[in-house]
Amino acid sequence: MLQRLKTCKHVDQLALTPKAASNLEFPPKDLLVASAAEILHKYWHPGGVLLVVGAIGAVTRLIGPLLKSKEEDPAVLVMDARGMNIVPLLGGHKAGAEKIALELAEELGGNPVLTGHSKNQDCLAIDSFGEVWGWKRSGDSSDWNKLMMKQASEKKIIFDQSSGTKLWVNSLAAKNSLGDRKRENVQGFNNFSIGSKSIYKCSWHPPTLWVGIGCERGSSLELLDRSLTDALAKAGLAKEAIAGLVSLELKSDEPALLSLAKRQGVILRFFSADQLRQVTVPSPSREVELVTGTPSVAEASALLAAGADGVLIMKKQVYHANAYEKGAVTIAIAEAMQPFAPQRGELHLVGSGPGDLTYLTHDARAALSRSVVWIGYGRYLDLLDPIRRSDQVRIDGQLTFERERCNQALDLATQGVSVSLVSSGDSGIYGMAGLALELWLEKPQAERPTFNIHPGISAIQLAAAHIGAPLMNDFCAISLSDRLTPWVKIQERLRGAAIGDFVIAIYNPRSKDRDWQLQDALEIIRQYRSKDTPMALARQIGRDAEKIDYYSLENCPVNEVDMLTLVLIGNSQSLLNQSYLFTPRGYLTK
């Protein structure tokens, strides 16, 4: 169990007590062996995750002396040795224990034991929901606790949003939690806000601020840090809303600038003097131009990073070193219309299987659990809807709009959102994985969100299992859709597969607009196969309306075939016996 968790990247370090470790015949080389108390103390730090296999009572007693506060304590989860029950014991919201418990339950096929108000009442966890949208939180824990207590008393929450995607309000949990200002008769007061400002006690901050920085060579980190803090305070902006720092390429090796970006945990971009010179700014400087080749560094770089719709919300401010600092710094701040945090975003390519949730893999379930947005063709999402949580949002797409769906998913993930892009069957077999990967690779490395492909059970696999055993020798899959592949090329592939005596699975065999191609394909195959070659039509495979019929190559009823049908044609050795179509494992017999 523990090794599986590590292999699936749910844990980074395995640790056992001496007694438990003594039962292992071949313990992992990196296994930590120590007492339970020592292990917990060693890894007890903010932002950490401790997954303990054992009794809840024992774990509760062990962690008692270590407890500090919501900000300082890690997430603590407890589960039994079989992974059947996963309990988020500590840090359910702030540290993400509930979210992790849900993911583990999907991965292991277990049960998440959730007792919090938000999950059980289908309400939004106001104090933690923004993380999966790529936002950061500000405000004292005491104020957030008051807000959560208000929610728990069944009072509606009022909010104000000035930046970031508003897709989150479409979730059932949001609708159950949020009040309407007019209906609630609330004037001029918000329980929490979403935006770049730092004027509210409880706020979520989408990463929309680009901080342009110019500095003298050798300026100290202390000066840069103080200047940034002061500039944000003057503008009433939150540091949590920073998307990135930007400057002139000439400063790409400036130690203090590199250290500041690392300290803030944000991206650092550089532009050439030629790029910056093209930007119109309110405070150009001839002196700066003589030194750098551009009349503006701070304002121009901030505006350029913020994009065409960006707005300069703080003109350049000049800061000089005090007695303990060195150098001089110029800072300007622009706000982008769209957040930017690819380092927080996740794009999951999920294969949902043939239809029924029985065939959805645990890996796919875990990816869907991690994602707050599901994007896919409406019919595919309908099949998954029974497992969609109240805090998750679906975006329905249309057939033939694959590129638009990929771009939308990638765009949201680049903003910092956790997204699942859903294909039926396996996303890597006539699905969205290829196009999504192509678009992802076109982005600069620093602008790529996490990208993962989660395989699913394909129609050919399930059809073969329900038909018999037709794929026991070499086989191939060919799509008859000529929307992306010329028909001449498809004909060549059909001919090659027939000559090679492959078992052939035909996808996308016949639509209203392409009602002639299947007949043409069968004619090609008949040139190289016996008219008695067995074949099967598997329609709606894996769904309630599943229907499988057997024919020979000669009498296939083409008019009964549609886009929901998989056509499977045997090879020269395939047999139909007692309603089972199978292919012997080899041509050679004893």
Side-chain angles (χ1 to χ4, degrees):
M1 170 67 73
L2 295 178
Q3 194 60 51
R4 177 182 175 185
L5 289 171
K6 187 173 183 183
T7 301
C8 295
K9 299 181 180 180
H10 288 297
V11 297
D12 299 315
Q13 174 68 58
L14 297 179
L16 291 174
T17 61
K19 183 177 180 180
S22 66
N23 295 322
L24 297 180
E25 185 176 358
F26 302 105
K29 293 182 179 180
D30 61 346
L31 179 68
L32 174 63
V33 180
S35 70
E38 290 173 321
I39 294 168
L40 290 170
H41 185 269
K42 178 180 177 67
Y43 290 99
W44 195 273
H45 55 77
V49 177
L50 295 168
L51 175 60
V52 186
V53 178
I56 291 178
V59 176
T60 302
R61 286 190 290 272
L62 284 167
I63 69 173
L66 301 174
L67 296 177
K68 297 177 181 177
S69 68
K70 285 187 175 183
E71 282 68 33
E72 298 174 276
D73 294 333
V76 179
L77 299 96
V78 183
M79 73 177 189
D80 62 90
R82 295 183 179 180
M84 297 305 295
N85 295 286
I86 301 102
V87 183
L89 186 62
L90 186 69
H93 288 185
K94 174 67 175 174
E98 284 190 356
K99 178 175 178 289
I100 297 168
L102 289 165
E103 294 167 19
L104 285 171
E106 296 293 359
E107 177 72 41
L108 302 175
N111 176 47
V113 183
L114 307 178
T115 59
H117 172 81
S118 300
K119 286 293 184 290
N120 286 286
Q121 300 300 320
D122 282 335
C123 292
L124 202 63
I126 301 295
D127 63 342
S128 63
F129 85 97
E131 290 181 2
V132 288
W133 292 97
W135 308 339
K136 286 186 177 181
R137 198 184 85 173
S138 70
D140 292 336
S141 290
S142 59
D143 291 320
W144 282 103
N145 289 341
K146 291 176 184 176
L147 186 57
M148 293 302 292
M149 285 189 285
K150 177 178 180 178
Q151 183 186 39
S153 64
E154 299 186 355
K155 294 181 179 179
K156 295 294 185 179
I157 305 299
I158 307 299
F159 76 99
D160 174 68
Q161 183 170 2
S162 58
S163 66
T165 178
K166 295 184 179 179
L167 285 172
W168 67 279
V169 299
N170 296 328
S171 71
L172 174 63
K175 293 174 181 177
N176 289 342
S177 304
L178 303 176
D180 180 84
R181 184 181 302 281
K182 294 180 181 180
R183 188 169 62 246
E184 301 294 325
N185 195 28
V186 176
Q187 299 296 326
F189 176 77
N190 299 304
N191 297 128
F192 77 99
S193 68
I194 302 170
S196 59
K197 298 287 186 180
S198 61
I199 56 178
Y200 296 98
K201 287 184 177 180
C202 298
S203 296
W204 282 105
H205 304 288
T208 56
L209 299 180
W210 288 95
V211 181
I213 301 179
C215 63
E216 289 183 356
R217 178 62 66 181
S219 293
S220 63
L221 174 60
E222 292 75 17
L223 174 58
L224 264 70
D225 197 22
R226 177 175 65 84
S227 303
L228 176 61
T229 301
D230 183 77
L232 290 169
K234 283 182 177 178
L237 300 170
K239 66 179 181 179
E240 292 84 0
I242 296 175
L245 309 181
V246 279
S247 190
L248 179 67
E249 273 183 346
L250 190 64
K251 298 296 179 181
S252 62
D253 61 347
E254 190 70 47
L257 195 53
L258 298 173
S259 297
L260 182 64
K262 185 176 182 180
R263 177 179 290 185
Q264 294 294 327
V266 295
I267 192 172
L268 178 58
R269 277 183 175 176
F270 298 99
F271 295 113
S272 68
D274 286 341
Q275 289 174 296
L276 297 180
R277 197 164 45 240
Q278 308 304 316
V279 182
T280 301
V281 297
S283 314
S285 169
R286 178 60 178 165
E287 183 179 347
V288 171
E289 185 174 18
L290 291 173
V291 176
T292 65
T294 173
S296 172
V297 173
E299 291 178 345
S301 60
L303 281 169
L304 194 56
D309 297 322
V311 177
L312 190 68
I313 55 178
M314 171 174 267
K315 295 180 181 180
K316 71 176 183 180
Q317 304 287 310
V318 181
Y319 295 88
H320 297 285
N322 59 29
Y324 305 100
E325 299 166 341
K326 181 181 178 183
V329 175
T330 304
I331 287 183
I333 304 174
E335 183 161 22
M337 289 290 292
Q338 183 167 294
F340 181 86
Q343 72 277 18
R344 304 175 206 165
E346 299 178 3
L347 179 54
H348 298 276
L349 276 295
V350 174
S352 63
D356 193 282
L357 291 175
T358 305
Y359 304 112
L360 185 64
T361 68
H362 287 307
D363 179 54
R365 284 177 176 268
L368 289 168
S369 179
R370 286 184 65 85
S371 305
V372 71
V373 175
W374 297 0
I375 299 177
Y377 177 46
R379 180 179 290 171
Y380 304 156
L381 296 184
D382 288 343
L383 295 168
L384 294 173
D385 224 38
I387 63 170
R388 183 167 60 92
R389 298 192 308 271
S390 62
D391 63 310
Q392 294 174 312
V393 176
R394 60 180 275 179
I395 300 177
D396 291 27
Q398 300 177 4
L399 282 178
T400 74
F401 285 81
E402 289 83 1
R403 181 172 290 272
E404 287 80 1
R405 291 206 294 276
C406 282
N407 279 322
Q408 185 176 29
L410 187 55
D411 179 64
L412 284 169
T414 303
Q415 294 181 37
V417 184
S418 296
V419 184
S420 276
L421 183 56
V422 177
S423 300
S424 67
D426 184 294
S427 64
I429 301 177
Y430 300 124
M432 305 288 281
L435 179 56
L437 180 58
E438 179 184 343
L439 295 173
W440 182 80
L441 288 170
E442 289 176 358
K443 282 182 167 287
Q445 284 195 349
E447 298 181 14
R448 296 174 186 171
T450 299
F451 185 95
N452 288 296
I453 299 174
H454 305 271
I457 296 175
S458 66
I460 187 175
Q461 290 174 286
L462 189 60
H466 288 191
I467 287 169
L471 306 180
M472 299 307 297
N473 209 301
D474 296 336
F475 62 92
C476 67
I478 299 176
S479 170
L480 296 192
S481 173
D482 58 356
R483 196 168 64 85
L484 298 175
T485 305
W487 180 244
V488 173
K489 179 62 68 176
I490 295 173
Q491 288 177 308
E492 291 176 4
R493 292 173 180 174
L494 287 164
R495 192 170 292 108
I499 293 172
D501 203 26
F502 286 87
V503 173
I504 303 172
I506 295 180
Y507 279 75
N508 306 314
R510 188 171 180 271
S511 68
K512 292 180 180 179
D513 298 327
R514 296 184 297 101
D515 60 356
W516 56 272
Q517 290 168 309
L518 179 58
Q519 184 63 49
D520 195 6
L522 293 177
E523 291 295 341
I524 291 173
I525 296 171
R526 285 170 184 149
Q527 297 174 27
Y528 305 95
R529 300 259 169 106
S530 166
K531 64 181 181 180
D532 298 323
T533 301
M535 60 181 294
L537 302 182
R539 190 177 188 279
Q540 293 269 44
I541 197 73
R543 302 174 188 176
D544 291 339
E546 177 180 308
K547 185 174 184 289
I548 297 175
D549 294 302
Y550 300 95
Y551 301 95
S552 69
L553 196 55
E554 182 181 34
N555 65 2
C556 174
V558 172
N559 291 335
E560 295 181 12
V561 176
D562 60 15
M563 289 290 285
L564 299 177
T565 306
L566 179 79
V567 178
L568 200 145
I569 302 170
N571 69 6
S572 63
Q573 305 294 303
S574 299
L575 301 170
L576 182 61
N577 190 336
Q578 301 178 53
S579 297
Y580 288 101
L581 197 163
F582 67 96
T583 304
R585 291 190 62 188
Y587 288 79
L588 302 177
T589 57
K590 294 183 179 179

